[in-house]
Amino acid sequence: MSVIRQDLITKDWTIFAGDRSGRPTDFKKVKEKKVLNEYEPCCPFCRGNDHMTPKEVFTIEGDDGWLVRVVPNKFPILEPGGKTETDIKRSAAGPYLEIDGTGSHEVIIESPKHNDNLCQLESGQVENVIRTYRERFIELSSNKNNKLIVIFKNHGNKAGTSLVHPHSQLVATPFIPSFVRNRFCESERYFNDFGKCVYCEMIAYEKKIRKRIIYENEGFIALAPYASAVPYNIWILPKKHQACFAKISENDIVSLATNLKTVIKKLYNLLDDPDYNYIIDSTPIDQAGSRFYHWHIEVVPQLITRAGFEIGSGINVNTILPERCAELLRATDT
Amino acid sequence: MSVIRQDLITKDWTIFAGDRSGRPTDFKKVKEKKVLNEYEPCCPFCRGNDHMTPKEVFTIEGDDGWLVRVVPNKFPILEPGGKTETDIKRSAAGPYLEIDGTGSHEVIIESPKHNDNLCQLESGQVENVIRTYRERFIELSSNKNNKLIVIFKNHGNKAGTSLVHPHSQLVATPFIPSFVRNRFCESERYFNDFGKCVYCEMIAYEKKIRKRIIYENEGFIALAPYASAVPYNIWILPKKHQACFAKISENDIVSLATNLKTVIKKLYNLLDDPDYNYIIDSTPIDQAGSRFYHWHIEVVPQLITRAGFEIGSGINVNTILPERCAELLRATDT
């Protein structure tokens, strides 16, 4: 018989079916290995091709040129609009509501080199990437039109990217989506009931039972969540309570860089460079001081297909228990 | 500049970016056409191979054998458990909640023939399929352990199926997922505010402006929803208020069969047999008499990839407006 587990925070359910003890080979993708060059004349993200993108809004410079470069997305889904909230047109169309597509959409180029991979970068360069995330988060938070900032990475075709040059993206939105609001409200409800941050409680419990921890260092803990939505789902959380990603300290940037790099390297080695997304889940901008929300990075490997049942019910169906994923990832070298 | 639209019912948002006037060729998939046989010796769903599946729980019989056949899924994600609600074990694991994987998981084989396609079946056979959906819905609703029944179809690889023999599935769950509860609560809120079913209001408005209607017949209306989550998203709704799918009349089964077949045939002709899911969104079992919920079929063509932004924010990004999709589908022959 399968088991159904509830996510403590979102109250969403995952059905664990199948044999649930999955071997890593079940998920290894069949793909052609392509040897990439360090520089690619057609790639807009390679150092030397800077004219192929909009002008940069931020860089971290090294001895030979930029190390990390942030540019507005050439095909933005949202673009900067008016100066104040009231400049953004919200209009009714019959019973419906429409907003101008204002906000920001940026690309964070993680390395000058075309053939780099986040998990093979020097630690100092991963720190530069995270530092860049923070700087852009702070900068875009100062625009009162922005309500939520989503930083994410799409790695590989199944994760929704066709550009192989390592990069992340940032989107700032003029509203809070119900998906984020629900998660936020459920955390608040827990805080009202128990007087504690639900994420802090979860970390404390996971540290006690030690079955789903993948990797832990000074500032961060990586674990396979109890109701993992997909195989090899991973959350990386700051061990001390912190609601908003922008509050991350310099010390913690160093610690997070090691943790993130280690986790991605373990996935790379165990599953042969799987396609994956990661997302920084932080508070809405106006709630940076929240006592009940706790920012974290969610890593979502793209190993299975979401079908009609998942789409229609919002229930996840997974085939491997997080305890097993954590065990296999812990045992994987980096 | 892109536009952002809110779904009137779920309050979810979709960003319409890109040129939004998309040509159908933008979404045609590159695929190998494979000629299928009417009978396939290895296919468990072909008539004559009935021993390859668990024993049927329902059939509609024709002169030469079964026309529609329902069998328990050989690899069920949920299985029948105890007789009463209290037989289902709900256990706490630290702060977490787990339920035994009880429920039902059935396969509805839509035709004896391996090479059939829903949109090429005789109308009478599509009626048989819908009649079967209704009979199984009613039968499984009588089990007090079941709380929600999800009937869905996965057509094609990208929609999550590898079996080409035409079939749908049914899953009965022992809980209401938050995704469904949220949609239900938002409909209730609208009813409390305005005293009307939000779906009935939407249908009335769409009939007035006639920009997003794809096909309409006596009992049903097919339209491209205002905040379509994906390209060529379609809802098929009963024109008269009805909360629960199980209440569909014999007359309406005939009308729905024509509507569903027409819609799928239009997709087939316009986009060259795209992969798609459809789902019957109905009330939780205990709420069949709801004044504010309105069952419908949601058709979700699988033409784009959900990436990190969508996963992390719950915001949809679409590249073609529903008005344009409706226009193209209306103009497509069947």
Side-chain angles (χ1 to χ4, degrees):
Chain A
M1 179 172 282
S2 58
V3 294
I4 311 171
R5 290 181 171 186
Q6 188 179 50
D7 184 292
L8 180 60
I9 294 131
T10 62
K11 303 291 173 192
D12 288 332
W13 297 90
T14 300
I15 298 173
F16 290 88
D19 83 349
R20 283 170 280 155
S21 59
R23 297 149 303 173
T25 46
D26 294 346
F27 297 109
K28 275 195 185 169
K29 58 181 177 182
V30 182
K31 62 170 180 185
E32 219 179 309
K33 286 267 178 198
K34 211 168 148 183
V35 178
L36 299 172
N37 298 318
E38 195 175 296
Y39 171 76
E40 190 58 63
C42 308
C43 173
F45 299 163
C46 280
R47 189 156 66 193
N49 299 346
D50 298 2
H51 61 283
M52 294 167 71
T53 67
K55 190 167 162 46
E56 66 272 3
V57 293
F58 181 85
T59 57
I60 291 182
E61 296 291 330
D63 293 338
D64 309 316
W66 59 264
L67 297 173
V68 180
R69 183 169 181 257
V70 182
V71 298
N73 195 306
K74 204 170 177 179
F75 307 101
I77 60 170
L78 298 173
E79 288 170 274
K83 289 229 166 61
T84 68
E85 276 164 327
T86 47
D87 291 340
I88 300 180
K89 210 176 80 203
R90 289 175 181 254
S91 39
Y96 303 120
L97 190 59
E98 180 176 293
I99 314 184
D100 281 353
T102 53
S104 283
H105 189 179
E106 299 183 344
V107 177
I108 296 120
I109 308 168
E110 298 162 7
S111 162
K113 293 184 194 165
H114 192 74
N115 59 353
D116 257 340
N117 187 314
L118 184 84
C119 68
Q120 287 158 342
L121 296 177
E122 297 289 322
S123 288
Q125 181 64 3
V126 181
E127 291 163 24
N128 282 336
V129 171
I130 296 170
R131 206 168 280 125
T132 303
Y133 290 165
R134 184 187 59 183
E135 293 312 304
R136 295 313 299 159
F137 195 112
I138 292 171
E139 169 68 22
L140 291 164
S141 294
S142 68
N143 181 335
K144 291 285 175 219
N145 287 347
N146 294 333
K147 298 293 179 286
L148 181 75
I149 290 173
V150 185
I151 293 171
F152 61 100
K153 180 173 170 70
N154 303 333
H155 175 80
N157 267 322
K158 286 187 186 161
T161 190
S162 45
L163 292 168
V164 294
H165 192 121
H167 67 286
S168 318
Q169 296 180 69
L170 179 156
V171 172
T173 66
F175 61 89
I176 309 291
S178 47
F179 178 82
V180 171
R181 194 173 57 230
N182 290 342
R183 190 168 60 192
F184 201 71
C185 290
E186 290 292 351
S187 304
E188 185 173 22
R189 189 170 297 176
Y190 190 96
F191 190 84
N192 277 331
D193 287 350
F194 299 104
K196 288 172 182 166
C197 161
V198 63
Y199 293 89
C200 290
E201 288 280 275
M202 182 187 69
I203 292 169
Y205 181 72
E206 293 296 342
K207 288 186 72 157
K208 199 173 80 182
I209 63 157
R210 308 202 74 78
K211 284 197 293 189
R212 288 179 287 266
I213 296 175
I214 293 161
Y215 178 74
E216 188 182 349
N217 62 359
E218 200 196 335
F220 289 82
I221 186 165
L223 48 86
Y226 176 74
S228 291
V230 297
Y232 298 95
N233 200 183
I234 299 169
W235 289 358
I236 303 173
L237 303 108
K239 285 152 84 172
K240 275 191 223 147
H241 181 78
Q242 191 165 65
C244 177
F245 167 68
K247 301 285 176 71
I248 189 172
S249 67
E250 266 300 318
N251 258 354
D252 273 352
I253 284 179
V254 174
S255 188
L256 177 58
T258 304
N259 204 309
L260 179 62
K261 186 181 154 174
T262 302
V263 161
I264 301 292
K265 190 72 197 292
K266 280 172 178 279
L267 281 176
Y268 183 97
N269 287 347
L270 184 66
L271 300 170
D272 199 12
D273 193 18
D275 294 352
Y276 67 86
N277 302 101
Y278 70 64
I279 307 109
I280 301 182
D281 287 334
S282 187
T283 52
I285 292 170
D286 290 348
Q287 319 253 8
S290 164
R291 295 280 297 280
F292 52 85
Y293 203 76
H294 193 125
W295 78 267
H296 56 282
I297 296 182
E298 179 164 17
V299 184
V300 185
Q302 294 300 337
L303 304 164
I304 54 173
T305 303
R306 222 167 149 251
F309 177 64
E310 291 89 329
I311 295 168
S313 69
I315 300 168
N316 305 303
V317 180
N318 197 339
T319 52
I320 175 168
L321 285 169
E323 295 81 7
R324 175 72 177 145
C325 293
E327 182 192 354
L328 289 164
L329 285 168
R330 273 198 308 270
T332 303
D333 290 334
T334 54
Chain B
M1 180 174 281
S2 58
V3 294
I4 311 171
R5 291 181 171 185
Q6 187 178 52
D7 184 292
L8 180 59
I9 294 132
T10 62
K11 304 291 176 192
D12 289 330
W13 297 91
T14 300
I15 299 173
F16 290 89
D19 83 349
R20 284 169 280 155
S21 60
R23 296 150 303 173
T25 47
D26 295 347
F27 297 110
K28 276 197 184 167
K29 59 180 178 181
V30 182
K31 63 168 180 185
E32 218 179 309
K33 287 267 176 196
K34 211 168 151 185
V35 178
L36 299 172
N37 299 317
E38 197 176 294
Y39 172 75
E40 191 56 65
C42 307
C43 173
F45 298 163
C46 280
R47 189 157 66 193
N49 299 345
D50 298 2
H51 62 283
M52 293 167 72
T53 68
K55 189 167 164 45
E56 66 272 4
V57 292
F58 181 85
T59 56
I60 292 183
E61 297 291 329
D63 293 338
D64 309 316
W66 59 265
L67 298 173
V68 180
R69 182 170 183 256
V70 182
V71 297
N73 194 306
K74 203 171 176 178
F75 307 101
I77 59 170
L78 298 173
E79 288 170 273
K83 288 229 164 64
T84 68
E85 277 164 324
T86 47
D87 291 340
I88 300 180
K89 210 176 79 201
R90 290 177 179 252
S91 40
Y96 304 119
L97 191 59
E98 182 177 292
I99 313 183
D100 281 352
T102 53
S104 283
H105 188 180
E106 299 182 346
V107 177
I108 296 122
I109 307 168
E110 297 162 7
S111 163
K113 292 184 195 165
H114 192 72
N115 59 352
D116 258 338
N117 186 314
L118 185 83
C119 68
Q120 288 158 341
L121 297 176
E122 297 289 323
S123 289
Q125 181 65 4
V126 182
E127 290 162 24
N128 282 337
V129 171
I130 297 170
R131 205 167 281 126
T132 303
Y133 291 165
R134 183 186 59 182
E135 293 312 304
R136 294 313 299 159
F137 195 112
I138 292 171
E139 169 68 22
L140 290 164
S141 294
S142 69
N143 181 336
K144 291 284 174 220
N145 286 347
N146 294 333
K147 298 292 178 285
L148 182 74
I149 290 173
V150 184
I151 293 172
F152 61 100
K153 181 174 169 70
N154 304 333
H155 176 79
N157 266 322
K158 285 186 186 163
T161 190
S162 45
L163 293 168
V164 294
H165 193 120
H167 68 285
S168 317
Q169 296 179 69
L170 179 157
V171 173
T173 66
F175 61 89
I176 309 292
S178 46
F179 178 82
V180 171
R181 194 173 56 229
N182 290 341
R183 189 168 64 192
F184 200 71
C185 290
E186 290 293 350
S187 304
E188 185 172 22
R189 191 170 296 177
Y190 190 97
F191 190 85
N192 276 330
D193 287 350
F194 300 103
K196 288 172 182 164
C197 161
V198 62
Y199 293 89
C200 289
E201 288 280 274
M202 183 187 69
I203 292 168
Y205 181 71
E206 294 296 341
K207 288 187 74 159
K208 199 173 79 183
I209 64 158
R210 309 202 73 78
K211 286 196 293 190
R212 288 179 286 266
I213 295 174
I214 293 160
Y215 178 74
E216 189 182 347
N217 61 359
E218 199 196 335
F220 289 82
I221 186 166
L223 48 86
Y226 176 75
S228 290
V230 296
Y232 297 93
N233 200 184
I234 300 167
W235 289 357
I236 303 173
L237 304 108
K239 285 153 83 172
K240 276 191 225 146
H241 182 79
Q242 191 165 65
C244 177
F245 166 69
K247 300 286 176 70
I248 190 172
S249 68
E250 266 301 316
N251 258 353
D252 274 351
I253 284 178
V254 175
S255 189
L256 177 58
T258 305
N259 204 309
L260 178 62
K261 186 181 155 174
T262 303
V263 160
I264 301 292
K265 191 71 197 294
K266 281 173 177 277
L267 281 176
Y268 183 97
N269 287 347
L270 184 66
L271 300 170
D272 198 13
D273 192 17
D275 294 352
Y276 67 86
N277 303 99
Y278 70 63
I279 307 108
I280 301 182
D281 287 334
S282 185
T283 51
I285 292 171
D286 290 348
Q287 319 253 8
S290 166
R291 295 281 297 279
F292 52 85
Y293 203 77
H294 193 124
W295 78 267
H296 56 282
I297 296 182
E298 178 164 18
V299 184
V300 185
Q302 294 300 337
L303 304 163
I304 55 174
T305 303
R306 220 166 152 251
F309 177 64
E310 292 88 329
I311 295 168
S313 69
I315 300 167
N316 305 303
V317 180
N318 197 339
T319 52
I320 176 167
L321 285 169
E323 294 80 9
R324 175 73 177 142
C325 292
E327 183 192 354
L328 289 164
L329 286 167
R330 272 197 307 270
T332 303
D333 290 334
T334 53

